C-alpha cells in the first residue's frame, strides 16, 4: 500500500517496502552426510523510526525491533487467488540473527514434503493472527485478522504497540518479480524481507518561542486495525470511535507543560507523541497550549484534522509519520495567531494544512 522509493534501496538492493523479494541465486547448502539440505534464507529489514531507512536511532529501538516473528506458508499455483491458497505450515518463533539495527538473518530448511511446491508466504512480526482465525485456513481470510490490541476509550497510545515492550506489529507478503508466488526449489530460495508497521506515528514540533504545550490527544480514532494491509480497505467489524491520550512518556511531561527550549531548538520536536491505527475518516489531534503575551498567560486549544487523499483508501496511513508544526520560529504577538502545518513523511507525499490558531476563540 505504501510505495517507498529511496536511492539507498537501489544501492543495497533492498526491494520496496512491504514486500519480500526472492530468488534462487548464490545459495550455499548444508550437507547431512547423504543429501544436501535446501533453505529459505531471509534477510529481514524493518522500517526505520524516522523515515530514513539507513539511520535507526537506538533510543527508538522499540519502533523497529523484531521481538517475535511468525511465518505462514500457503500452497498456491500460478494465478491462484488468496481465497484458493490454503495454509500448509506455520513456522513460529524461528531463531533470528541480528546483524545491526533493524536488520536480521533467518534460515529455514525446506521440508521434503514441501519441495517444489508453489507457495505464498505471510510474515508477521510482534503479533499473530488469533487461533480462531487460523482455523479458517485460506490466505484471504487470514488477511482479515486483527492486530491484538483492541484499545479502550481514554487509553494511552502505547496500548496500540504492546506498551512498546512486545514490539510494534508489522507484516508483509512475499513477492517474486511482482508475483507473490514462489517455488520451494531444491536449489534454495533467497529472500529479502521488508515489513511495515500496522500503526502510524504523530510528532509535534513547537516553533513558537512563547508557546508552552499542555496536552495532546487524538479524537475520533478507531480502536481496531487489520494486522495486514487490505486490498479493499474497510473498518474492522464492531470497531468504534475512541479518544486516545498521548503516550505515557509525553502525557507525564505535558502535565507540567513543555516550554519552548531556546538553548536547544532541536529539543522542540516532540517525537512519538501518539500512535494511531489507519482509518478512512479524519481523526482530530487536539492540542492544548498556553501563550506568554507580555507576561500574561493566554490559554488556547486547536484541533488539526489528519485528512488526506482518499485514493489511498485509508488516512491516517499505516507506517507513516505525521508531524504538526506550530509556528514559524517567531514569537506570537498581540494578534494571538499561531500558524500551523501538517507534514506527512516516511516516504509519503502528503498535503500541507496551513491555518492560524486563535487562543481566545479556541478556548471558547
Amino acid at each position: 500500500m505504501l510505495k517507498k522509493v529511496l536511492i539507498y534501496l537501489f544501492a543495497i538492493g533492498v526491494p520496496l517496502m512491504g514486500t519480500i523479494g526472492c530468488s534462487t541465486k548464490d545459495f550455499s547448502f548444508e550437507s547431512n552426510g547423504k543429501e544436501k539440505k535446501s533453505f529459505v534464507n531471509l534477510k529481514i529489514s524493518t522500517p526505520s523510526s524516522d523515515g530514513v531507512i539507513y539511520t535507526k536511532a537506538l533510543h527508538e529501538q522499540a519502533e523497529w525491533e523484531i521481538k517475535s516473528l511468525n511465518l505462514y506458508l500457503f500452497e498456491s499455483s500460478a494465478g491462484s487467488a488468496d481465497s484458493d491458497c490454503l495454509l500448509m505450515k506455520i513456522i513460529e518463533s524461528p531463531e533470528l540473527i541480528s546483524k545491526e539495527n533493524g536488520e536480521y538473518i533467518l534460515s529455514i530448511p525446506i521440508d521434503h514434503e514441501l519441495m517444489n511446491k508453489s507457495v505464498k508466504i505471510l510474515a508477521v512480526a510482534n503479533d499473530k493472527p488469533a487461533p480462531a482465525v487460523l482455523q479458517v485456513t485460506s490466505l484471504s481470510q487470514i488477511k482479515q485478522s486483527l492486530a491484538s490490541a483492541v484499545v479502550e476509550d481514554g487509553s494511552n497510545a502505547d496500548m496500540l504497540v504492546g506498551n512498546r515492550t512486545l514490539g510494534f506489529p508489522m507484516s508483509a507478503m512475499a513477492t517474486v518479480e511482482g508475483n507473490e508466488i514462489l517455488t520451494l526449489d531444491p536449489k534454495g530460495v533467497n529472500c529479502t524481507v521488508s515489513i511495515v508497521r500496522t500503526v502510524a506515528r504523530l510528532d509535534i514540533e513547537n516553533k513558537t518561542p512563547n508557546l508552552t504545550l499542555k496536552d495532546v490527544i487524538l479524537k475520533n480514532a478507531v480502536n481496531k486495525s487489520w494486522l495486514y494491509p487490505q486490498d479493499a480497505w474497510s473498518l474492522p467489524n464492531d470497531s468504534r470511535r475512541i479518544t486516545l491520550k498521548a503516550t505515557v512518556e509525553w502525557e507525564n511531561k505535558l502535565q507540567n507543560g513543555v516550554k519552548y527550549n531556546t538553548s536547544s531548538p532541536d529539543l522542540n520536536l516532540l517525537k512519538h507523541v501518539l500512535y494511531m491505527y489507519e482509518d478512512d475518516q479524519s481523526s482530530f489531534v487536539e492540542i492544548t497550549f498556553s501563550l506568554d503575551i507580555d507576561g500574561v498567560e493566554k490559554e488556547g486549544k486547536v484541533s488539526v484534522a489528519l485528512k488526506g487523499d482518499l485514493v489511498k483508501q485509508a488516512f491516517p496511513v499505516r507506517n507513516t509519520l505525521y508531524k504538526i508544526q506550530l509556528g514559524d520560529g517567531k514569537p506570537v504577538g498581540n494578534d494571538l495567531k499561531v500558524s500551523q502545518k501538517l507534514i506527512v513523511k516516511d516516504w509519503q507525499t502528503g498535503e500541507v494544512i496551513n491555518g492560524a490558531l486563535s487562543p481566545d476563540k479556541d478556548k471558547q
Side-chain angles (χ1 to χ4, degrees), residues 105-122:
I105 293 176
L106 169 64
S107 291
I108 300 170
I110 301 175
D111 297 340
H112 177 73
E113 63 271 20
L114 299 181
M115 195 64 69
N116 294 315
K117 294 279 189 181
S118 292
V119 302
K120 292 186 179 183
I121 297 178
L122 171 64

Side-chain angles (χ1 to χ4, degrees), residues 9-10 18-19 55 75-77 120 141 145 157 177 207-208 213 215 221 227-228 230-231 251 305 313 315:
L9 297 181
F10 294 99
T19 67
T55 300
E75 186 168 8
S76 182
S77 61
K120 292 186 179 183
Q141 290 167 312
S145 59
E177 297 179 352
K207 300 195 75 172
T208 302
L213 288 160
D215 193 22
L227 182 55
Y228 186 81
Q230 301 297 293
D231 294 330
E251 185 186 31
Q313 301 180 17
F315 206 91

Side-chain angles (χ1 to χ4, degrees), residues 3-34:
K3 185 178 180 182
K4 321 293 184 180
V5 181
L6 284 178
I7 294 175
Y8 180 75
L9 297 181
F10 294 99
I12 63 172
V14 177
L16 295 180
M17 188 70 70
T19 67
I20 305 176
C22 306
S23 71
T24 58
K25 298 178 180 179
D26 302 321
F27 242 81
S28 58
F29 303 103
E30 185 177 297
S31 175
N32 62 6
K34 293 184 178 180

Side-chain angles (χ1 to χ4, degrees), residues 335-350:
D335 60 3
L336 305 180
K337 291 183 178 180
V338 180
S339 63
Q340 56 175 305
K341 192 187 315 185
L342 177 64
I343 300 169
V344 183
K345 55 179 183 176
D346 195 8
W347 307 286
Q348 293 295 294
T349 301

